[in-house]
Amino acid sequence: IQKSSFSIERARAAFSKQPAAQTERTPYYPFYKLPEGKSSTLRFIPDANPENEMGFLIERRTHELMIDGERTRVPCLEMYGEDCPACDLSRSYYKAKDTVNGKKFWPKKDHVARAIVVKDGLPPDPETGETYVGKVVTLTLGKSLYEIIAHNISSGDLGDELPCSIEEGTDFIITRTIKPGPTGEKYSDYSLSKFARTSRGLEEEEIATIEFDDGTGNTPNY
């Protein structure tokens, strides 16, 4: 294989460019900690970018790299229209028929969404007693949850409105169960997750939460 121009110094400089801070304003919702058999109900909210064809989901691609002896997850720069040294390295390996290293450096894909928590299946905070109900959160959705959402939208099961519609959207119910692996290990399973049977308009309090103004003219929850 030809020597690549990839270097850790170049990678550090490139990946120092962090993604937009929209997902840092709100906490990530740890639905993967739901007790077995428990569910949480969430309502997806529209992406602030009106050009987003998916309406409320954002595809995220990341690379897992060893930096300073630690495995670090960094954003793929091609998401921002820039050359990505990790992608270039991966392609060079694939071109040389080295699929092991090619796969190692190829970006992993998931989807990110923001939602308001309608019903929280997680235990209350042991110190404050607080739950996530009524809060706007960020969710990282893996393949199984994405496929459930994609199927319901592409099949037309949800009608002519996106589930993030404020007036006629549909809540999404995440249910976590446990699935045994082939050697006895256990995995989280979300195959029972689904959209609610009926659509509903957001309540005034929910709309007020989403449209909250931080005093500078920005609406960080939207």
Side-chain angles (χ1 to χ4, degrees):
I1 185 171
Q2 294 181 346
K3 185 176 180 181
S4 172
S5 60
F6 178 88
S7 70
I8 194 62
E9 289 78 16
R10 183 185 173 196
R12 285 174 181 154
F15 288 120
S16 66
K17 301 176 182 179
Q18 296 299 317
Q22 68 175 54
T23 58
E24 295 179 2
R25 296 191 183 110
T26 53
Y28 277 84
Y29 183 64
F31 60 84
Y32 50 87
K33 293 183 180 180
L34 281 168
E36 183 178 1
K38 293 294 185 179
S39 302
S40 287
T41 301
L42 304 107
R43 178 61 164 268
F44 295 119
I45 61 176
D47 183 14
N49 177 13
E51 301 300 321
N52 183 356
E53 294 182 351
M54 290 192 290
F56 62 98
L57 286 180
I58 300 174
E59 182 181 283
R60 181 176 65 174
R61 284 169 282 164
T62 57
H63 298 276
E64 288 188 356
L65 303 176
M66 292 297 294
I67 299 178
D68 291 334
E70 296 184 2
R71 185 170 296 278
T72 306
R73 200 173 188 183
V74 296
C76 174
L77 295 182
E78 290 190 354
M79 291 191 298
Y80 311 106
E82 301 181 26
D83 291 334
C84 179
C87 286
D88 291 343
L89 181 62
S90 175
R91 293 188 183 102
S92 69
Y93 277 122
Y94 276 120
K95 188 175 181 179
K97 309 298 183 183
D98 184 349
T99 58
V100 174
N101 281 307
K103 184 177 181 180
K104 177 181 178 181
F105 289 100
W106 192 247
K108 293 177 174 57
K109 183 175 75 174
D110 59 16
H111 289 81
V112 177
R114 299 175 70 218
I116 187 168
V117 179
V118 180
K119 295 181 181 178
D120 188 11
L122 292 169
D125 185 287
E127 295 183 0
T128 66
E130 292 185 356
T131 68
Y132 284 90
V133 172
K135 296 179 180 179
V136 174
V137 297
T138 300
L139 297 93
T140 300
L141 304 173
K143 181 180 179 180
S144 61
L145 286 172
Y146 170 77
E147 289 181 344
I148 292 171
I149 294 169
H151 170 74
N152 277 269
I153 294 176
S154 61
S155 67
D157 288 349
L158 296 179
D160 296 330
E161 293 288 342
L162 280 173
C164 62
S165 169
I166 292 177
E167 296 83 10
E168 299 181 64
T170 309
D171 295 340
F172 189 62
I173 305 167
I174 297 180
T175 301
R176 177 178 177 267
T177 57
I178 300 298
K179 183 177 182 179
T183 59
E185 66 273 33
K186 296 182 179 180
Y187 297 96
S188 292
D189 181 58
Y190 301 102
S191 59
L192 296 181
S193 301
K194 59 185 179 181
F195 282 100
R197 292 184 178 181
T198 58
S199 61
R200 71 176 182 91
L202 290 181
E203 298 178 1
E204 290 185 5
E205 185 176 348
E206 293 173 319
I207 295 176
T209 298
I210 294 173
E211 297 181 344
F212 166 75
D213 189 319
D214 64 5
T216 64
N218 294 318
T219 51
N221 289 338
Y222 204 91

